[in-house]
Amino acid sequence: MIVYAFGLLDILAGTLLVLSRFWHSDKILIAAGILLLIKSLVFFCGIVSTVDAIGAAMIMLIGTGYYAPHAIITFGFALWFLQKGFLSFLPT
């Protein structure tokens, strides 16, 4: 059950990253970034959690307005989070 919740969080993060290029909501981006950072620190298991932590930090910086990454970087992290989220719903 918790895998599905984390999958939904990843899908939300990927969707917010795509929308952040067109629509900007500070509170939602910062909240999603904090939740992703907590998830990546609690379940730290190597490179996957490291990429999640970097993506969470980027989401929080976009939310504060201090950082506007290139579109390729934004969409790359969005694809990362979306594929992780969708793959968490596949049966094992």
Side-chain angles (χ1 to χ4, degrees), residues 1-12 36 39 43 52 81-92:
M1 188 67 184
I2 196 164
V3 175
Y4 297 134
F6 287 152
L8 283 175
L9 180 62
D10 286 335
I11 291 171
L12 173 72
L36 276 172
K39 181 187 85 156
F43 297 103
D52 279 350
F81 286 126
L82 287 171
Q83 65 89 19
K84 272 186 56 192
F86 286 123
L87 289 178
S88 69
F89 287 101
L90 292 179
T92 56

Side-chain angles (χ1 to χ4, degrees), residues 30-82:
I30 293 172
I34 289 171
L35 289 173
L36 276 172
L37 188 63
I38 290 170
K39 181 187 85 156
S40 67
L41 293 177
V42 169
F43 297 103
F44 190 77
C45 62
I47 190 84
V48 174
S49 294
T50 305
V51 174
D52 279 350
I54 293 169
M58 186 181 76
I59 290 172
M60 287 188 291
L61 287 174
I62 290 171
T64 58
Y66 291 122
Y67 181 64
H70 195 273
I72 293 174
I73 296 170
T74 304
F75 289 129
F77 273 106
L79 286 175
W80 169 262
F81 286 126
L82 287 171

Side-chain angles (χ1 to χ4, degrees), residues 13-28:
T15 305
L16 285 174
L17 274 174
V18 171
L19 291 178
S20 74
R21 300 300 295 177
F22 311 107
W23 170 73
H24 194 75
S25 176
D26 302 339
K27 293 177 184 177
I28 295 173

